[in-house]
Amino acid sequence: FRDIAAAYEVLSDPKKRQVYDKYGMMGVQMAGTEIGAQLVEIESLLCTLFIALSFVIALIIIFFAFLSLRVDGKVTWNYAIVFIPLWIMDAFLFFGALTRLIKPSADDDEDGHHDDHDDDDDRDNGNGEGSSSNAGGDRQERQRQKQAAQKRLRFWSALIGLINLLLFTAFQVLIVKKANDPTSIAASTVFAPYFVLEGFFFLQAIIQVAVGLKLASAVEAPLSSKLGMVFEALWWKVTRLVLAVLIMLRIDENITCSWQIVFIPLYLVAVKYIVQHIRGYRTFSRMQNAEMRQQGHALMTASACTLTVLGSLVYSLVGLLAAKLDGHAYSASRVLIPVFIVLSILLCCSGCCLPCLLLASSAGGEDDEMNLENAEVRVVNPNMRIEGTDVPSSPSRHATPIS
C-alpha cells in the first residue's frame, strides 16, 4: 500500500510525473531540493549553451572565410572589416565581463538578507536563551565574513578577466594595424599586450605551483612528484611564450630561418603527448588487476586514436601555414581546410546533434503516453488468472503493473 500511495502521488501530480518520466524516482525525491531544481532546468541551460556555442563557432568560421578571401586577394577589404566577427565576440565578452563585475554586489546583498532572516528564526527557536543568541550572533558574523571574502574574490576575478579581455582586444587591434601597413609598427609592439597577458597567466601558475609545493612538502612527497607538478603547471605556458617570441623575431626578420623551424615548439607538444601515452600504457600494464588493466588499455587506446585524428588536422594546418609563409603558392583557403573541417564538425554537434538528442529525450515520454492511450493492459491476479482491463488514462511509462 505504501508503494501504491507513492505511485499515485507521483502520477496524480503533472509536474512530479514529468520529472519521474525523465529522471526516475530519484529525480522525484530530489525535486524539492536545490539539486532537483538544477535537474529540472538543466535541459534549458544546455540548449542555451549549445545556441551560444553555435553562434561563436559560426562567427569563427565567418572570420576565417573573410581572412582567406582577403589573403588570396579575392577582396581588397581593410583588415578591420575582416575582423568584424571577432569584434562581435569581443563585444559579447565585454558585456558578460561587465555584468559579472557588477552583478555580485546585488546577489550578495540578497543573500545577506536571507541569512539575516535565517538567524532571526534561529534566535526565535532558541526561546530567548542566552547561549542560543550568542551562537546565532557568532554564526551571523562568520556568515558575513564568508560573504565578504566571496564578494572580494568574485570582484577581483571579474576584474582580472576584464583586464585580460582588454589586453586581448588591444592585441587584435595591433594585428589589424600591422596587417594593413606592415611598416607602421614593429612586431614587438604588436606582441606587447600578448606578453602582458602571458605574464598574468605565469603569475597565476607560479602561485599555484608554490601552494602545491608547500602541500607536497607537508606530506613529504618525493622529488619526482614535485618536478612533475612544476612541469605540468608550466610546460604549456613556456611553449606558448617561446613560440610567440620566435614568431615576433621572424616577422621583424631578426632571424631568417624557415617557418618550419619557428613552429618547432608546436612539434614538441606532439612529442610530449606521445611520451605521456606510452608511460600511461606501461603504467596500466603493470597493474595486477586484470579488469583495471584492460580498462586502462582501452582508455589509452581511445585517447591515442582521438589525439591522432586531432593531431593530423592540427599539424596539417601547421605544415601548410609554414609552407605558405615560406613562399609556396598555396592559397589561404587550402591552408585553412583543416580549420574548416574541425569547425564544421563542432558546429554540427553544437547546433544540430546535441539539441536534437535533448528534444528527443524530452519528447519520448509524450510519444509513449500517446501510444499507451486506450491500450489494453493485462493484469495477473494472485490466482494466476489473466484479466483484461481497459485503462482510461495511461500510466507513466516507468510505472510497474500491480499484481
Side-chain angles (χ1 to χ4, degrees):
F1 281 103
R2 285 195 298 267
D3 294 340
I4 293 173
Y8 179 77
E9 181 181 0
V10 173
L11 298 179
S12 60
D13 190 338
K15 293 183 178 179
K16 290 184 178 180
R17 180 171 179 170
Q18 183 181 8
V19 173
Y20 182 80
D21 286 339
K22 294 181 179 179
Y23 308 109
M25 183 55 71
M26 184 177 295
V28 176
Q29 294 173 353
M30 294 191 301
T33 64
E34 182 179 356
I35 298 177
Q38 294 176 357
L39 286 176
V40 173
E41 299 177 356
I42 191 170
E43 288 188 1
S44 61
L45 293 176
L46 286 176
C47 287
T48 303
L49 177 62
F50 293 147
I51 292 173
L53 185 60
S54 301
F55 178 71
V56 171
I57 295 174
L59 288 176
I60 296 175
I61 292 175
I62 294 173
F63 165 71
F64 281 112
F66 285 175
L67 183 63
S68 62
L69 292 174
R70 178 64 179 84
V71 173
D72 289 338
K74 304 294 183 180
V75 294
T76 57
W77 299 336
N78 188 291
Y79 274 95
I81 299 176
V82 175
F83 274 69
I84 283 178
L86 296 186
W87 305 142
I88 296 175
M89 290 176 54
D90 293 338
F92 279 101
L93 291 175
F94 270 118
F95 177 77
L98 290 175
T99 302
R100 185 183 174 191
L101 188 64
I102 299 173
K103 187 177 180 181
S105 300
D107 293 341
D108 293 336
D109 293 340
E110 185 177 355
D111 293 339
H113 290 305
H114 287 302
D115 293 329
D116 292 339
H117 290 306
D118 293 338
D119 292 331
D120 292 338
D121 293 338
D122 292 338
R123 285 192 290 271
D124 292 339
N125 293 332
N127 295 325
E129 296 180 0
S131 60
S132 178
S133 300
N134 293 332
D138 294 339
R139 185 165 53 252
Q140 183 178 3
E141 182 63 25
R142 289 194 301 270
Q143 189 67 27
R144 287 178 179 175
Q145 293 177 358
K146 182 179 178 181
Q147 289 177 359
Q150 291 178 350
K151 185 177 180 180
R152 288 194 298 269
L153 181 61
R154 292 175 184 175
F155 175 80
W156 286 109
S157 177
L159 183 61
I160 292 174
L162 184 60
I163 293 174
N164 291 337
L165 184 58
L166 288 171
L167 290 171
F168 187 67
T169 305
F171 182 45
Q172 296 175 25
V173 172
L174 292 175
I175 290 176
V176 169
K177 183 176 179 59
K178 178 71 173 178
N180 286 325
D181 187 4
T183 60
S184 59
I185 53 177
S188 57
T189 305
V190 175
F191 277 86
Y194 177 79
F195 289 138
V196 176
L197 187 62
E198 288 290 353
F200 277 110
F201 295 151
F202 260 103
L203 181 61
Q204 295 175 3
I206 290 173
I207 294 174
Q208 293 176 358
V209 168
V211 174
L213 290 177
K214 184 177 180 180
L215 295 176
S217 299
V219 299
E220 298 181 355
L223 180 61
S224 59
S225 299
K226 296 179 181 178
L227 293 177
M229 182 188 307
V230 175
F231 176 77
E232 290 296 332
L234 299 178
W235 75 270
W236 177 233
K237 296 176 178 60
V238 173
T239 302
R240 292 200 310 258
L241 182 61
V242 172
L243 179 63
V245 171
L246 290 175
I247 292 175
M248 179 190 69
L249 295 175
R250 182 63 180 84
I251 292 175
D252 284 340
E253 296 185 352
N254 293 322
I255 57 176
T256 57
C257 60
S258 171
W259 281 93
Q260 297 287 353
I261 299 177
V262 172
F263 291 137
I264 283 179
L266 293 179
Y267 303 140
L268 296 178
V269 173
V271 175
K272 185 263 183 186
Y273 279 109
I274 291 173
V275 173
Q276 180 178 341
H277 275 74
I278 293 175
R279 293 182 60 186
Y281 194 88
R282 294 179 59 184
T283 300
F284 284 115
S285 298
R286 289 193 294 266
M287 287 185 175
Q288 300 296 330
N289 191 325
E291 183 178 358
M292 291 293 295
R293 183 170 61 251
Q294 184 178 3
Q295 291 179 357
H297 287 169
L299 177 62
M300 297 306 298
T301 302
S303 177
C305 293
T306 303
L307 288 177
T308 300
V309 174
L310 293 177
S312 300
L313 293 171
V314 170
Y315 288 107
S316 297
L317 172 64
V318 173
L320 291 172
L321 180 59
K324 172 72 173 177
L325 294 174
D326 283 334
H328 292 274
Y330 292 137
S331 63
S333 57
R334 181 183 299 180
V335 172
L336 294 175
I337 284 176
V339 176
F340 290 126
I341 292 175
V342 174
L343 292 177
S344 299
I345 294 173
L346 293 177
L347 182 61
C348 180
C349 292
S350 63
C352 179
C353 298
L354 297 178
C356 288
L357 289 176
L358 288 176
L359 293 175
S361 64
S362 62
E366 299 177 358
D367 295 337
D368 293 340
E369 292 175 1
M370 293 177 62
N371 294 330
L372 287 173
E373 288 182 358
N374 300 324
E376 184 176 348
V377 180
R378 297 291 181 179
V379 181
V380 182
N381 67 8
N383 297 326
M384 302 302 293
R385 290 196 301 269
I386 305 295
E387 298 178 356
T389 58
D390 294 332
V391 182
S393 62
S394 63
S396 173
R397 58 192 174 103
H398 296 288
T400 303
I402 301 172
S403 301

